[in-house]
Amino acid sequence: MIAEAARRLKSGLCVAMPTETVYGLFCDSSNESALAAVYALKGRPPSNPLIAHVLDIAMAKRTTFGFDARAEKLAAKYWPGPLAIVLPRRPEIAAVGVGGRGTVAVRAPAHPVALAVLERVGSALSAPSANRSGHISPTTPQHVADEFRNIEDLLILDGGACNFGIESTVLDLSRARPMVLRPGAIGESDLTPIIGAVSMPHLTKQDASPGTMAKHYAPSVPCESVKPNALVQRLFNQTVRTAVLAFSSDEVPAPHIKMEMPRDAHAYAQRFYAALREAEQSGASAVFIVAPEERDGLWVALHDRIRRAGA
Ligand code: TXA
Ligand code: MG
């Protein structure tokens, strides 16, 4: 399957593959028509740039300018892993794959399947998450198949359920002061000891990253986050059957549907998108997500995704 995926990618086709964060819809970063096909399959706005996945630092240097000491230190510590670094782009990355920008986000994914394919192909592979634009990111091969039912012969490599479950941290090193464009598993406190201060713009700010518009990662039924102490009242007033992503201590009376979420942040992230999909398919007419009280570490990224799901 690895060889077949590499063959298809080299011939300009798209392939869905696992990464440690979410499944991606991959293609050759230098192939304009393959990149255009990825945008078309997803229904993604052409201005929203794709992440270029690389095998290692050497490949990252062949796709970017200015992969400096900061980038090297970060990559040495966190790659392969969920950190995408934005830098000026070399011509190897086609402009259509980055929405015409002068920069590209690069990351080495920590998944043996993605790395094996990258090694065989030998050059960067661009991929957005393998979902229709604006919908929930996929964390299993079945999720990908559900997103692209009508696409015959899309090769979907099976790497099991994703270990992290939410998308990578996107860090912009192309500007004077490093800026986190999208929070992820690598948090502010992981970055500052290595590169000093980073700005964390208010996370709803529309222009932080072209792709982080408020509504994103959202289920197709109305979804909102609810403070833990407001849940009882909100459900009491709720006239439609509602699926609730809740903790074991939360009470969810019938006819509403409780989807129990883990207390541990890592386990919560692993479960989050699958739970949203199950909520969507449960027949419920609305989704509530009980907003966790915790706000540090991985919860920063989780609050961001919870807010976007409900925006
Ligand atoms: O974990 C992940 O990052 C997954 C896996 C497949 O690698 N990919 C992913 O891709 O989430 P996507 O396209 O769904 O989200 C990429 C985000 C978008 O918000 C996009 O706007 C931002 O990264 N981004 C990519 N390249 C950028 C650039 N050159 N400048 C600013 N933002 C960029
Ligand atoms: Mg996405």
Side-chain angles (χ1 to χ4, degrees):
M1 276 314 205
I2 303 280
E4 172 62 10
R7 189 192 66 73
R8 289 189 186 210
L9 289 160
K10 282 196 223 173
S11 70
L13 296 172
C14 316
V15 174
M17 300 197 291
T19 77
E20 80 283 29
T21 57
V22 300
Y23 275 70
L25 189 59
F26 286 80
C27 74
D28 175 350
S29 302
S30 67
N31 185 322
E32 291 185 2
S33 59
L35 290 160
V38 166
Y39 279 82
L41 279 177
K42 269 193 72 111
R44 182 176 178 108
S47 59
N48 190 359
L50 306 181
I51 293 176
H53 298 75
V54 294
L55 182 62
D56 51 20
I57 293 176
M59 195 183 280
K61 287 182 171 171
R62 297 201 296 273
T63 61
T64 57
F65 290 112
F67 202 92
D68 59 13
R70 299 171 306 167
E72 291 239 16
K73 280 191 225 160
L74 287 169
K77 177 135 176 128
Y78 295 117
W79 283 6
L83 177 66
I85 301 174
V86 176
L87 284 169
R89 140 184 91 84
R90 286 188 193 266
E92 280 77 358
I93 306 290
V96 276
V98 289
R101 306 188 147 229
T103 57
V104 62
V106 287
R107 82 176 192 97
H111 195 292
V113 170
L115 289 174
V117 173
L118 274 164
E119 185 155 33
R120 256 191 195 246
V121 172
S123 59
L125 296 172
S126 292
S129 50
N131 53 277
R132 304 274 174 174
S133 188
H135 195 226
I136 306 164
S137 295
T139 55
T140 69
Q142 186 59 51
H143 294 165
V144 181
D146 291 344
E147 290 289 318
F148 299 106
R149 271 178 208 290
N150 57 332
I151 313 296
E152 276 170 47
D153 65 70
L154 171 66
L155 177 61
I156 304 173
L157 295 189
D158 186 347
C162 299
N163 181 30
F164 280 92
I166 61 165
E167 304 80 356
S168 62
T169 303
V170 179
L171 174 70
D172 191 350
L173 286 187
S174 73
R175 48 180 93 213
R177 182 189 170 109
M179 180 185 280
V180 170
L181 302 180
R182 178 176 70 182
I186 310 292
E188 186 179 9
S189 61
D190 302 311
L191 299 171
T192 48
I194 301 177
I195 56 167
V198 290
S199 23
M200 304 279 289
H202 187 270
L203 299 170
T204 57
K205 201 173 145 185
Q206 299 264 332
D207 63 357
S209 163
T212 48
M213 55 273 245
K215 184 176 161 59
H216 213 77
Y217 316 110
S220 55
V221 284
C223 176
E224 82 181 272
S225 76
V226 173
K227 292 213 167 70
N229 56 14
L231 182 64
V232 171
Q233 192 61 43
R234 289 299 313 277
L235 284 174
F236 184 76
N237 292 333
Q238 191 69 346
T239 53
V240 296
R241 192 156 169 249
T242 300
V244 188
L245 274 59
F247 298 103
S248 55
S249 52
D250 297 316
E251 262 183 64
V252 177
H256 306 304
I257 308 159
K258 179 171 181 172
M259 329 226 29
E260 193 165 314
M261 296 299 292
R263 274 275 166 210
D264 171 68
H266 186 78
Y268 191 103
Q270 273 180 340
R271 176 89 187 100
F272 182 60
Y273 286 137
L276 278 184
R277 279 175 189 268
E278 287 163 29
E280 195 179 62
Q281 284 153 19
S282 67
S285 304
V287 180
F288 283 174
I289 306 171
V290 177
E293 309 270 16
E294 297 88 338
R295 296 222 153 244
D296 56 337
L298 187 51
W299 292 112
V300 173
L302 286 167
H303 276 284
D304 170 73
R305 301 309 189 276
I306 290 170
R307 192 179 48 248
R308 288 177 199 292

